[in-house]
Amino acid sequence: MAKQVWQGGNMLYPLPAVMVSCANAAGEKNIVTVAWAGTVCTNPPMLSISLRPERHSYGIIRESGEFVVNLVTARLQRACDWCGVRSGRDHDKWEECHLTPASAAKLELAPAIEESPVNIECHVRDVLELGSHHLFLADVLAVQVDDALLNANGKLDLARACLTAYSHGEYFELGRRLGTFGYSVRKKAPKDRRPRRR
């Protein structure tokens, strides 16, 4: 396989393009689309998002110290893109995208997006000023999940959500399951050795 050095920058794709909702004490609410987001720690549960300081939501989150990561479905993808290319300085993204602010379970200011099936409520622990982007390291205080995503055993089934991903300027709907965690090393089930009826 022939390869060459790529000069295009970050190549860690695909990414979860998420809608981050926030608000400040003055009641200003906004939504910003973030592709640079990820899980940081399981115990305690933590995640991070990276924002450019010039983004309108940056100041709101820096001031309030909280935000909600809202997962994006195929139905929300157009709103997700729109919230990423328009500024909250000039637009009321909630109204123009027909999105509903919902009360968070543990946060004081930041609302969740009602139309998103999963809302991850976060409290900022630290801000790392890295360069073009600043990384918000946050504790996950609560996760709200749409009842429709829970199976009969109460297990979360995200495949039902039709989630999307972002890869190098394009959006994709997640589709075919290739396996489950650990399937590559799992022993095959023993064959049924009972005699068959003829």
Side-chain angles (χ1 to χ4, degrees):
M1 179 187 310
K3 294 185 180 179
Q4 59 181 296
V5 177
W6 176 254
Q7 303 297 329
N10 178 40
M11 283 289 108
L12 186 58
Y13 290 112
L15 299 166
V18 295
M19 299 170 78
V20 174
S21 50
C22 56
N24 59 22
E28 183 180 16
K29 299 187 297 290
N30 198 39
I31 303 167
V32 61
T33 298
V34 175
W36 293 1
T39 300
V40 174
C41 187
T42 301
N43 188 18
M46 298 173 66
L47 58 72
S48 70
I49 62 170
S50 291
L51 285 175
R52 291 180 180 271
E54 57 266 27
R55 297 299 295 265
H56 184 57
S57 291
Y58 177 92
I60 296 173
I61 295 172
R62 192 91 193 223
E63 176 189 340
S64 68
E66 57 183 54
F67 59 88
V68 180
V69 171
N70 305 275
L71 299 193
V72 175
T73 63
R75 184 173 291 182
L76 287 172
Q77 188 56 66
R78 187 174 182 83
C80 174
D81 181 69
W82 199 92
C83 288
V85 297
R86 294 288 185 253
S87 174
R89 292 185 183 93
D90 308 314
H91 300 273
D92 182 339
K93 297 181 183 182
W94 296 90
E95 181 178 344
E96 295 193 39
C97 291
H98 307 289
L99 297 173
T100 311
S103 297
K106 296 289 181 72
L107 301 180
E108 295 181 10
L109 300 172
I113 297 175
E114 179 68 33
E115 290 77 11
S116 172
V118 179
N119 316 109
I120 307 170
E121 303 178 19
C122 303
H123 185 269
V124 177
R125 176 185 287 215
D126 199 4
V127 182
L128 304 179
E129 299 183 3
L130 302 175
S132 63
H133 289 68
H134 293 182
L135 184 143
F136 288 83
L137 186 63
D139 293 295
V140 175
L141 301 187
V143 179
Q144 295 191 55
V145 177
D146 190 330
D147 290 340
L149 299 185
L150 301 176
N151 64 21
N153 300 320
K155 184 179 177 182
L156 183 61
D157 184 1
L158 278 177
R160 299 180 183 182
C162 301
L163 297 178
T164 61
Y166 176 81
S167 184
H168 204 59
E170 299 178 307
Y171 302 103
F172 297 90
E173 184 175 347
L174 301 181
R176 186 167 61 99
R177 185 178 71 172
L178 301 178
T180 58
F181 180 75
Y183 83 100
S184 63
V185 296
R186 193 172 297 125
K187 292 182 180 178
K188 293 181 180 179
K191 292 182 179 179
D192 188 351
R193 300 188 179 280
R194 289 175 296 178
R196 296 182 180 177
R197 293 182 180 176
R198 294 181 181 256

